[in-house]
Amino acid sequence: MHNHWGGTLEINGGDSANDEDRNRNADWDRASISRREYENDNLNETQKSWLLGPPDKKKKKYVDLGCVVCSRSALKWTILSILIAFIVIGLPIIIAKSLPKHKEAPTPPDNYTIALHKALLFFNAQKSGKLPKNNGIPWRGDSGLQDGSDQTDLKGGLVGGYYDAGDNTKFHFPMAFAMTMLSWSVIEYEHKYRAIGEYDHVRDLIKWGNDYLLLTFNSSATKIDRIYSQVGGSIVNSTTPDDHYCWTRPEDMDYPRKVQIANSAPELAAEVAASMAAASIVFREDDEYSTKLRLGAQTVFRFARESGRRVSYSRGNPFIDAYYNSSGYFDEHMWGAAWMYYATGNKTYLDLATRDGLPKNSKAFKMIPDLSVLSWDNKLPAAMLVLTRMRVFLSPGYPYEDMLKSYHNVTGLNMCSYLQKYNVFNFTKGGLIELNHGGAQDLQYVANAAFLATVFADYLNATGTPGWYCGNDFFRISVLKDFATSQLNYILGANPENMSYVVGYGTKFPRQVHHRGASIPNDKTKYSCLGGRRWLDAKTPNPNNITGAMVGGPDRFDNFKDVRGNYSYTEPTLAANAGLVAALVALTTSGGVGVDKNIMFSSVPPMYPPTPPPPPPWKP
């Protein structure tokens, strides 16, 4: 037997010697025991554990919650965690919810949006006919209510539409172009118009113009032999009452307003078709109206393409050729065919737009500088750009790829011509590009170029293309945006005159705009044909600001004369303002950036054969 300390433990019951030894050592044993007890009291816990063995484990206490039994410690920590979470997370939320709400101020509109609101109002000021109550121009009223009433084949005459400029003439050719430009800008940038609250307004303006254009030919027929090309007008140096000889408000016109009729109008009819086709896309959700526009466009485009009717609408007409004389019609046919394809999805129009004859006869690939300048007369750069859109977004391939690629290449070169580096066009010292070689009323061409440059940049950006080539030079998209921005900023006041050329924008803008309605007081006095000239010759500001009108602009030396009698400086036009509106909405960042890739193709069928249906189920 062993004890805890080691060695043996033997017990002998009858050994007297051992008893004697034990008695003799009794005192020592008691001292030893006493010392060991003292030492045991001073052992540390670890040492005691060696002696005593492992301590008894404490039993955990549990809480019975009915369906769950958990330890009291776990319950305590769970409740504590929930309480801490409430204090850290829940309490601040409750406090925040109970405080008064302060809405963040919306991002203020940029300068282009502010100018755009005003530029659209110019079209309200140019309306002819019976005006709606919400027209918003207090100094304008009903006018031209007898226009076309002498034409027996017209029910209701030619009431409506827009006056072209500072006169009271309705020129249908630039009017149709202005409507096409407005529609194009809506198709590309509908999201921006919606965001800035101008979507319904611009659609109303487009509808006002196209409703009138529908009156200028028999839009319910499939074949026509005439189109009305103009209402009012004048002959140069006329001495009889007409729209130029008389300085009178449109509301007070009492002189004859002659209607011009064209039995051949290849460029006018094609532009009217483009306007209606583009508008049919804008109004695509209004099936009845969109269809009416589309059918009318088909009729008038067919008239434009008739082989026996290719004489210009303006040739030999003294009421037109001095003002809006057409230099050719092949560009309008390319332009019109492109819009007809987008509106109808009919590939015969795409075949026409990409046929060799149109670019050849329009000299599209000759790289003539003037042909890179978009205007009411030259649609070539816009036609090639809108067809380039198809290539970059749809990639239709054969048989269209070769021609579309050529349009794409020339479009890129047109953009190169706008860059000062290449000296294709001169620039004024103030930075304005001279797209009409230093001639008068340059701003209309500048605004159009700013729009084209921005749209092309947005096409590239939407396809992930960082830039384009001018020969061996590569330019990033930002170069185009910088060009467009610099030109638009010049128009809005960043110029040597520190003057905004858009009426009502900024603090310094033209006050003597060459415009009959704006220059004559709306004081319920009817001024005669010649009596109104006192307002033409006055040196005082116009009594009515024609808000949003972009005037002709400065000369090639950046000088501007705010003189009512000098129309080359101070007269606005419908087509010019359409280009301004398009450029402003393209460059504004209000409502986002970039084009809408899909609206333009809403009527275009798939470019490739559809997937065949699955085979019928197998039957034994």
Side-chain angles (χ1 to χ4, degrees):
M1 185 174 180
H2 291 79
N3 62 20
H4 289 294
W5 304 101
T8 60
L9 180 60
E10 294 182 357
I11 302 175
N12 295 315
D15 192 338
S16 60
N18 287 342
D19 288 341
E20 245 177 39
D21 290 339
R22 279 195 298 273
N23 290 331
R24 191 168 46 246
N25 293 323
D27 290 337
W28 292 103
D29 292 339
R30 279 193 293 271
S32 176
I33 293 170
S34 175
R35 181 174 179 82
R36 283 199 301 270
E37 288 177 353
Y38 171 78
E39 289 176 349
N40 283 339
D41 288 340
N42 288 277
L43 291 175
N44 60 35
E45 293 296 325
T46 303
Q47 291 169 328
K48 288 180 180 180
S49 70
W50 295 343
L51 297 174
L52 303 176
D56 292 336
K57 293 183 179 179
K58 292 183 179 180
K59 292 184 179 180
K60 290 185 178 180
K61 296 181 180 180
Y62 293 90
V63 177
D64 189 348
L65 299 177
C67 59
V68 177
V69 177
C70 65
S71 71
R72 184 174 296 176
S73 175
L75 179 63
K76 178 178 71 174
W77 282 109
T78 300
I79 294 173
L80 185 61
S81 299
I82 293 172
L83 183 61
I84 293 172
F86 172 76
I87 294 172
V88 173
I89 301 173
L91 195 58
I93 293 174
I94 293 173
I95 295 172
K97 292 286 186 180
S98 63
L99 292 175
K101 293 183 179 180
H102 296 282
K103 293 183 179 179
E104 290 187 8
T107 303
D110 59 25
N111 290 338
Y112 299 142
T113 294
I114 296 170
L116 178 58
H117 289 311
K118 298 179 183 296
L120 287 168
L121 288 175
F122 173 73
F123 291 89
N124 295 63
Q126 294 300 99
K127 283 182 178 179
S128 178
K130 182 139 184 94
L131 302 183
K133 292 181 180 180
N134 64 346
N135 192 49
I137 311 296
W139 48 271
R140 282 300 324 278
D142 299 342
S143 63
L145 299 181
Q146 300 302 312
D147 285 352
S149 59
D150 58 338
Q151 303 297 313
T152 57
D153 62 331
L154 285 174
K155 294 181 181 180
L158 289 167
V159 178
Y162 294 97
Y163 299 116
D164 177 66
D167 51 28
N168 298 332
T169 308
K170 294 191 290 192
F171 292 100
H172 299 171
F173 190 36
M175 185 193 303
F177 172 68
M179 295 301 103
T180 311
M181 288 293 287
L182 289 185
S183 291
W184 187 12
S185 73
V186 173
I187 292 166
E188 301 286 13
Y189 301 106
E190 180 179 311
H191 52 291
K192 295 188 182 185
Y193 278 112
R194 287 184 181 276
I196 65 176
E198 289 287 3
Y199 180 64
D200 291 337
H201 182 197
V202 71
R203 277 167 49 108
D204 286 344
L205 298 177
I206 293 169
K207 188 174 188 303
W208 186 271
N210 280 280
D211 282 350
Y212 177 75
L213 292 176
L214 284 166
L215 302 176
T216 64
F217 65 99
N218 185 358
S219 58
S220 61
T222 57
K223 185 176 176 61
I224 58 174
D225 60 2
R226 60 166 56 186
I227 187 170
Y228 293 95
S229 57
Q230 185 172 308
V231 177
S234 62
I235 297 176
V236 176
N237 298 323
S238 171
T239 56
T240 58
D242 59 26
D243 284 335
H244 278 191
Y245 183 74
C246 297
W247 193 268
T248 185
R249 298 172 68 242
E251 292 80 2
D252 297 334
M253 295 182 298
D254 58 4
Y255 49 82
R257 286 170 57 76
K258 185 176 176 62
V259 174
Q260 305 298 320
I261 304 173
N263 299 111
S264 173
E267 63 285 272
L268 169 61
E271 186 59 66
V272 170
S275 175
M276 292 182 178
S280 74
I281 301 173
V282 172
F283 291 95
R284 63 197 177 281
E285 296 174 355
D286 183 343
D287 188 63
E288 182 179 355
Y289 186 58
S290 181
T291 299
K292 182 178 182 179
L293 290 169
R294 191 164 53 251
L295 293 176
Q298 290 172 330
T299 296
V300 74
F301 192 72
R302 192 175 298 115
F303 174 68
R305 290 288 299 165
E306 279 192 48
S307 59
R309 302 182 188 276
R310 299 291 180 87
V311 176
S312 172
Y313 90 107
S314 59
R315 183 180 297 180
N317 189 326
F319 287 90
I320 301 177
D321 60 11
Y323 307 102
Y324 287 103
N325 184 47
S326 172
S327 61
Y329 61 84
F330 292 104
D331 56 320
E332 278 86 13
H333 284 195
M334 185 190 298
W335 172 243
W339 282 111
M340 291 299 297
Y341 174 67
Y342 287 136
T344 66
N346 187 332
K347 288 187 178 180
T348 59
Y349 295 116
L350 181 58
D351 293 341
L352 172 62
T354 55
R355 193 178 300 167
D356 291 341
L358 290 185
K360 178 181 178 181
N361 289 305
S362 63
K363 301 178 182 178
F365 304 146
K366 295 289 186 180
M367 297 314 304
I368 300 171
D370 287 352
L371 295 184
S372 70
V373 180
L374 174 61
S375 72
W376 56 265
D377 182 39
N378 176 39
K379 319 300 165 43
L380 194 57
M384 288 191 288
L385 177 56
V386 86
L387 288 166
T388 295
R389 189 189 212 279
M390 180 181 303
R391 180 174 190 253
V392 299
F393 288 130
L394 296 186
S395 300
Y398 180 84
Y400 308 111
E401 168 61 16
D402 287 347
M403 188 59 73
L404 293 179
K405 182 178 179 181
S406 296
Y407 290 157
H408 190 170
N409 290 339
V410 174
T411 295
L413 294 175
N414 286 342
M415 300 300 150
C416 301
S417 73
Y418 300 153
L419 304 184
Q420 194 166 2
K421 172 180 179 177
Y422 296 109
N423 297 315
V424 177
F425 297 100
N426 291 329
F427 283 72
T428 68
K429 289 184 178 180
L432 184 70
I433 189 171
E434 297 178 31
L435 293 172
N436 64 338
H437 308 291
Q441 299 179 317
D442 186 40
L443 296 188
Q444 58 180 311
Y445 311 110
V446 173
N448 287 340
F451 175 64
L452 295 186
T454 307
V455 169
F456 183 61
D458 284 342
Y459 288 173
L460 296 179
N461 187 57
T463 55
T465 307
W468 88 111
Y469 279 95
C470 296
N472 293 325
D473 298 330
F474 181 80
F475 293 96
R476 301 192 70 81
I477 293 171
S478 58
V479 173
L480 284 175
K481 291 291 184 81
D482 290 344
F483 163 76
T485 298
S486 69
Q487 298 307 298
L488 214 52
N489 288 349
Y490 184 105
I491 293 172
L492 296 179
N495 54 66
E497 294 280 346
N498 294 316
M499 171 178 280
S500 164
Y501 293 116
V502 177
V503 176
Y505 180 84
T507 56
K508 183 181 180 183
F509 51 82
R511 303 284 179 168
Q512 294 190 38
V513 179
H514 184 93
H515 191 277
R516 286 159 174 77
S519 66
I520 301 175
N522 182 24
D523 57 6
K524 299 183 180 180
T525 300
K526 182 177 180 178
Y527 296 94
S528 66
C529 176
L530 295 180
R533 284 180 175 264
R534 59 178 286 198
W535 306 109
L536 169 62
D537 300 329
K539 304 303 180 184
T540 55
N542 287 349
N544 310 304
N545 272 334
I546 182 163
T547 301
M550 182 178 72
V551 297
D555 60 23
R556 61 193 179 95
F557 302 107
D558 298 304
N559 298 320
F560 180 78
K561 296 179 180 179
D562 190 8
V563 177
R564 189 179 298 108
N566 196 329
Y567 66 88
S568 64
Y569 289 102
T570 59
E571 186 171 25
T573 66
L574 204 67
N577 252 70
L580 173 67
V581 166
L584 288 169
V585 75
L587 281 172
T588 183
T589 56
S590 299
V593 295
V595 296
D596 186 300
K597 294 193 292 186
N598 299 319
I599 290 176
M600 181 78 83
F601 306 127
S602 56
S603 296
V604 175
M607 300 301 293
Y608 301 100
T611 304
W618 179 80
K619 292 182 180 180

